[in-house]
Amino acid sequence: EADIYQTPRYLVIGTGKKITLECSQTMGHDKMYWYQQDPGMELHLIHYSYGVNSTEKGDLSSESTVSRIRTEHFPLTLESARPSHTSQYLCASSESIGGVEKLFFGSGTQLSVL
Amino acid sequence: AQKITQTQPGMFVQEKEAVTLDCTYDTSDPSYGLFWYKQPSSGEMIFLIYQGSYDQQNATEGRYSLNFQKARKSANLVISASQLGDSAMYFCAMREGSGGGADGLTFGKGTHLIIQP
């Protein structure tokens, strides 16, 4: 069972607010990821990290930023939320098991920007 | 072009029947991996099964098996003896290249499976 936690589970905020979505894992994984998922759609990678002080942008352009100051913590920040940011955000970490890089996901944060 | 195509947006299946969820993929890389994930209504993504492009045999994990047809670029998920708890979204995903990272994981649009009693 994966030990990766996301808070909050649901967030409804007004336009222009700064928000931080929290993601923590207790498995000691170096690799962590943020995916964005619109309803009924596929997941798109927006950020990833291969370790402390390492962050990269993913395939989908995003106005969000991330930081990786500690191995277990990979928060995502939106400086000024807009309705177009309304989506589900899924955090994941991965490790190689039997030669296969397996992703473990959190339960997600459903963000609604009014 | 879509790298992962799941042609079934939704499926209704009777409990205890076997289910096949379709997935086709597109890549020119000879080394790749194929994944299936389950996403229940609670939102988390649960890893189900993995197939490597060089694996000779189809992957199996309990009631899940992957029907890997390399020439057709097809990686269908088969669930035997479906249960009510199998109702969820199912995503097929691919990682290209032989690198160890999962940053190249591309997901399909998913299939919403509903198991009826």
Side-chain angles (χ1 to χ4, degrees), chain A residues 4 7-8 43 84 91 97 105:
Chain A
I4 180 163
T7 56
L43 282 71
S84 60
C91 179
I97 300 175
F105 284 85

Side-chain angles (χ1 to χ4, degrees), chain A residues 13-19 63 77-83 85 113:
Chain A
I13 59 167
T15 297
K17 299 291 186 184
K18 177 180 179 179
I19 60 166
E63 293 168 344
T77 299
L78 277 166
E79 289 293 332
S80 180
R82 293 206 301 270
H85 297 139
V113 184

Side-chain angles (χ1 to χ4, degrees), chain B residues 20 23 36 49 51 58-59 65-70 74-78:
Chain B
T20 297
C23 173
W36 276 93
I49 198 167
Q51 180 85 42
N58 287 345
S65 60
L66 201 151
N67 184 2
F68 183 44
Q69 299 187 43
K70 196 170 183 176
S74 164
N76 298 342
L77 176 71
V78 180

Side-chain angles (χ1 to χ4, degrees), chain A residues 8-9 25 52 65 67 70 75 81:
Chain A
R9 182 72 181 89
Q25 50 98 5
V52 171
T65 59
S67 63
R70 304 198 315 265

